[in-house]
Structure formats: structure tokens, C-alpha cells
Amino acid sequence: MSLRPRARIHLSNIVSNWRRINDMSGYDGAGAVVKANAYGHGASKVSSALAKAGCRHFFVAYGFEGGEVRRAVGLDSHIYVFNGLQAVSQEEIRTSSLIPVLNNLNDIGEWKAGDQASPFALHFDTGMNRLGIPLADVGAVIEILSGATPSLIMTHFACADEPASEMNREQIEAFRTVVATFPGAPVSVSNSAGLWLEPDMRPGLTRPGIALYGGGNSPLRPGNLLPGMTLEAPILQVQQVPAGKSVGYGASYRASAARTIATVGIGYGDGLLRSASNSGFACLGGVRCPLVGRVSMDLVTVDVTAVEPLAKPGAWVELLGAQTDLEEQARAAGTLGYELVTGLGTRVERIYEE
Ligand SMILES: *Cc1c(COP(=O)(O)O)cnc(C)c1O
């Protein structure tokens, strides 16, 4: 046998999530954020499946990611590179027909010095204070562009996952003043969390990432947004641990009664966070079993007492999927679903299911 952790990637679930989000987006529909290897799901397979379903706008962070997406989708799709002209070369822009997102006056100056016929997008910072053109520079931008029309103008919410936050409305109002200075340019505002705000808060093309993969704060999930992957790992060994004995490094777990413990072949070297020690969970035969003891590099120990007859070497336990909700598992490790899926390592075999 040659068992290793595996992520079964449910392309049809990702497509179904995109369709659902595309339907609830306005006239401009939904794009797809496929940066970080499509949040760990595999950028080429995911982009190709979404392009076949009708998605025509893809977003990545780097030029090399854009190149991978371009090889997977047709030339009628737009691929935008969020991280600006430091993150994408002129050569990548040309050969893969990428659209750089210009984030500051440096980027805009550089664009101006190059081939001004090539398309570009503009990202305005309306309150995040992270990346994007500060509102104070809008006048200078218009002057430098001298009439050139962006393919897309965008902004990004800081607090979209808190629908009651004042900041959402403040950002949209600030963005409207910018939009008014670029008549006719397509706009894009909403990430996944923004999808659940009022429709007037998410004008234009939407930019869902985590929601496509079944995570995030959506009121539709779990249930209507389907998991993008099922992460599984094999049981390698099963042992009976008597009352009073400990499990794993640091003896951080001690059995209060006799327990059956399965040692499972996945660890922090694969992206199962060490902070899930004694707090995360796994499913065996549909039954939730606690992770006990420390997560180590290649192994984790699971209390399978409740499903002892199923706990055999070679049996698969689920760490993420329909029975082990991504965001719940992430919370148990003190983080978000984003970090879990993007952190899955190369030892995790990706198996694609149409
Ligand atoms: C990553 C990213 C997104 C997607 O965010 P989700 O929360 O995953 O939907 C959208 N817009 C920008 C600018 C991003 O960097």
C-alpha cells in the first residue's frame, strides 16, 4: 500500500457554488478568485471547470499564477493580477494576456511609460489602508491617465464579514465618488463576505474566493454552498490506551478512562495546524471523533472509542468535508477556513472529481 493524505477536489461543487453566486450577483455576474492555487484546490483544474461553466473573470495575486490560469482558460477570459506591477512582468502580461491591477502612483507611472494600449485595472483604497490608490491621489491618477479607460475599477471591503459595520457603507460611498470620475468603466467591489450585504453594497462584478470553495461566513453555508474538497488521511495504527496513560508529545492528553486511539497519517507538515491539538476533530463512519494529544509533523492521534469497530489500519478519516465543516474545524484551531485550505502542503495528493 502507499497511502498518503488526500484531498478529493469536488469540481462540480465549486461550479455549483459559482453558479449560485453568479445568479445572486447583479448584471455583471461573478468572477472567481483563484489565487494561492485556487485556495489550495488547484488553479488550473478549478479555472478550467469554471470557464466551462461560463466564468470569464479570474483574479490572482501574481503573474506566474495568471500564466497558469491562462493555460487553463480560453483567450476570451480576463485574468487580473491583484498585486500590481511588482508582481507581474511585462513579459507575463504580454504572453499570457494578463491585466495588471494598478495600486498606486508608482504602478500608474510605470504603466504610462510602457505600452499604453495594454489593458489595466485600478484598485482604490477606500479604508483598508493596505493596497490600492489612496483617495487623495485620484486627481493625479486622472491626470496621468489622460483619458485612458481602465478595464475595471475596484475597491475592497475591510469589514464585509460584519454586516452591521459602519465601515461598509463609508467605503461604498467613498468608492461612488471615484466611480463618478471614470464614467463607463466596469466596477467590482464585493469579496465573498460582501455577497451577503444589501445588493446596493455590492455593485458590478463580484470577486468571490472562499465562498466558491464552501467556506466563509455565508448564511447559505453549510448546506447550500458545498465543500470544495474532502480532506482525508489513513489510519496507520490503532491502540488501546489504558486510563491514566498519555498520548503524544508533551503528554498533553491523558486518558481519564480506557480509550481506543487511532494514529492517522497527517500532520502539520501537511497543513493540519498544530493549534488543532486537543481541539480539532475528525470523522470516521460519520461520527465525530476528537483529536487528542499534539498534532505532530506527520501524525495526529484521534480518539475513536465511539466507532472502535471501524478503526482499522487503512481506513480513511475525514478532516475536512461534508461531515467536518471547514469553518468549524478552522475555529477549533483558532483560525479561518482560508488558512486551512491555502496551507495544505504538497504531500496532500489532490484527486479531481468532476
Ligand atoms: C483574495 C481577494 C478576494 C477574495 O476574497 P474572499 O474573501 O476569499 O472572497 C477579493 N478581492 C481581493 C482584492 C482579494 O485580495
Side-chain angles (χ1 to χ4, degrees):
M1 267 192 273
S2 171
L3 303 181
R4 59 192 264 218
R6 67 185 186 194
R8 290 191 286 117
I9 310 296
H10 309 301
L11 292 173
S12 57
N13 285 0
I14 297 170
V15 166
S16 138
N17 293 341
W18 179 79
R19 286 211 169 99
R20 193 167 183 114
I21 294 165
N22 189 47
D23 287 347
M24 62 177 282
S25 299
Y27 175 79
D28 296 307
V33 180
V34 292
K35 62 191 180 189
N37 199 25
Y39 292 46
H41 294 70
S44 5
K45 297 277 191 184
V46 167
S47 305
S48 156
L50 290 176
K52 282 189 193 114
C55 181
R56 289 293 173 270
H57 300 270
F58 295 88
F59 296 89
V60 294
Y62 291 97
F64 82 92
E65 296 182 311
E68 187 181 350
V69 173
R70 178 59 75 201
R71 289 188 286 280
V73 304
L75 275 171
D76 57 343
S77 285
H78 305 277
I79 303 172
Y80 306 87
V81 182
F82 281 144
N83 280 9
L85 288 179
Q86 308 305 310
V88 56
S89 68
Q90 290 304 318
E91 159 110 25
E92 286 166 329
I93 291 174
R94 241 188 349 266
T95 57
S96 300
S97 302
L98 306 180
I99 304 177
V101 177
L102 309 181
N103 290 311
N104 47 56
L105 291 177
N106 272 342
D107 277 354
I108 292 169
E110 205 179 307
W111 174 84
K112 179 84 175 173
D115 169 15
Q116 292 175 29
S118 68
F120 64 97
L122 298 177
H123 175 190
F124 291 94
D125 189 330
T126 53
M128 186 84 161
N129 290 313
R130 189 182 61 165
L131 197 60
I133 303 161
L135 296 179
D137 289 344
V138 173
V141 169
I142 291 170
E143 202 164 304
I144 299 171
L145 291 178
S146 51
T149 308
S151 302
L152 189 69
I153 59 177
M154 52 174 269
T155 193
H156 192 53
F157 284 129
C159 301
D161 53 355
E162 299 165 46
S165 167
E166 296 277 305
M167 225 179 141
N168 296 321
R169 179 104 9 223
E170 285 165 18
Q171 285 193 265
I172 276 290
E173 273 160 19
F175 187 58
R176 288 220 171 89
T177 65
V178 178
V179 170
T181 62
F182 292 93
V187 305
S188 173
V189 174
S190 180
N191 60 350
S192 297
L195 295 167
W196 327 113
L197 300 174
E198 297 297 312
D200 71 321
M201 299 289 289
R202 43 186 170 85
L205 177 73
T206 58
R207 301 190 306 273
I210 195 74
L212 296 176
Y213 311 105
N217 70 337
S218 148
L220 289 180
R221 63 168 296 284
N224 293 312
L225 286 181
L226 306 167
M229 68 163 69
T230 300
L231 175 66
E232 298 167 314
I235 295 179
L236 304 177
Q237 184 173 318
V238 180
Q239 56 256 309
Q240 306 303 326
V241 175
K245 295 296 182 189
S246 69
V247 175
Y249 282 124
S252 70
Y253 169 82
R254 203 166 281 282
S256 56
R259 309 307 292 171
T260 304
I261 303 295
T263 302
V264 174
I266 188 168
Y268 58 75
D270 305 295
L272 182 68
L273 297 183
R274 191 165 175 276
S275 55
S277 299
N278 290 306
S279 60
F281 52 93
C283 270
L284 179 58
V287 174
R288 183 174 288 205
C289 303
L291 306 188
V292 295
R294 295 229 173 108
V295 176
S296 51
M297 189 183 296
D298 316 310
L299 301 169
V300 64
T301 32
V302 184
D303 181 348
V304 293
T305 312
V307 280
E308 183 166 353
L310 298 176
K312 298 268 187 293
W316 293 92
V317 302
E318 180 182 301
L319 283 309
L320 294 175
Q323 297 161 344
T324 38
D325 178 64
L326 172 61
E327 296 300 339
E328 215 184 328
Q329 185 74 287
R331 262 194 306 279
T335 185
L336 302 171
Y338 297 88
E339 195 178 5
L340 287 194
V341 287
T342 58
L344 292 180
T346 48
R347 289 201 305 198
V348 177
E349 184 183 9
R350 269 64 166 188
I351 296 170
Y352 289 90
E353 298 182 350
E354 298 299 327

